Amino acid sequence: MHEALDNKAEKEYYDLLKMANEAYLTPERPIADITNPEHMPTLPQDLQLISTNTDRVINDLWIKAIVSGPSYTPEQAMAEAKSTWDQAGGKQVDDWYAKWYVENKDTALLKDKLYQFK
C-alpha cells in the first residue's frame, strides 16, 4: 500500500475515489475527456496560467446560463466562453494538448485503457 495511505484522511479519500471510479467508470457512462483529470499531462506554467485564469470565468458563464433562464441562454454562454478562451490565448493550450496527444497517444493512460483496469 502507498505510504500516504497510512494517513487516515488520505486513505478515506483514496477509498472514496476508488468507489467513485467503480460506480462511474463504465463503458455505459464514458467519461467526457480523453482520460481522468489525474492522468492528464501538466501544462507548462505559462499555459497553465491561461487555463487557470479562464476556467473560473467560463464556469461562471455556464452557471449564469443555468440560473438566468431565457435572459442568458446556453448559446450566449457558449459564444462568450469561446470568445474568452480565444482572447486569453486558449489556442496555445489547445495546440499544446494536440501535440502532446500525437506524441504520447500510444503510451498515455487514455480513456479506453482505463476501462481495461476494472
Side-chain angles (χ1 to χ4, degrees):
M1 194 175 272
H2 191 272
E3 290 176 18
L5 297 181
D6 292 337
N7 175 307
K8 184 180 178 192
E10 291 285 335
K11 176 147 180 22
E12 287 177 8
Y13 173 76
Y14 173 80
D15 289 343
L16 286 171
L17 186 61
K18 186 176 176 187
M19 287 187 334
N21 281 341
E22 288 171 359
Y24 297 110
L25 189 60
T26 70
E28 295 81 31
R29 288 183 306 277
I31 58 174
D33 215 338
I34 64 169
T35 189
N36 274 351
E38 64 202 40
H39 300 294
M40 289 294 287
T42 303
L43 287 165
Q45 189 173 5
D46 59 329
L47 299 180
Q48 183 61 49
L49 188 61
I50 293 170
S51 182
T52 300
N53 288 343
T54 57
D55 280 351
R56 179 68 180 172
V57 174
I58 291 171
N59 285 337
D60 287 348
L61 294 171
W62 291 117
I63 292 168
K64 181 179 173 183
I66 291 168
V67 301
S68 295
S71 67
Y72 188 75
T73 67
E75 292 78 16
Q76 289 171 296
M78 175 64 85
E80 197 170 338
K82 285 180 179 181
S83 175
T84 299
W85 183 248
D86 291 342
Q87 289 176 12
K91 182 169 181 353
Q92 296 171 66
V93 177
D94 293 338
D95 290 346
W96 187 90
Y97 276 123
K99 182 177 184 240
W100 176 88
Y101 179 78
V102 167
E103 294 173 353
N104 295 280
K105 65 183 174 188
D106 295 331
T107 57
L109 185 54
L110 302 177
K111 179 173 42 178
D112 60 335
K113 293 179 188 169
L114 287 173
Y115 297 116
Q116 296 172 8
F117 292 118
K118 284 199 70 150

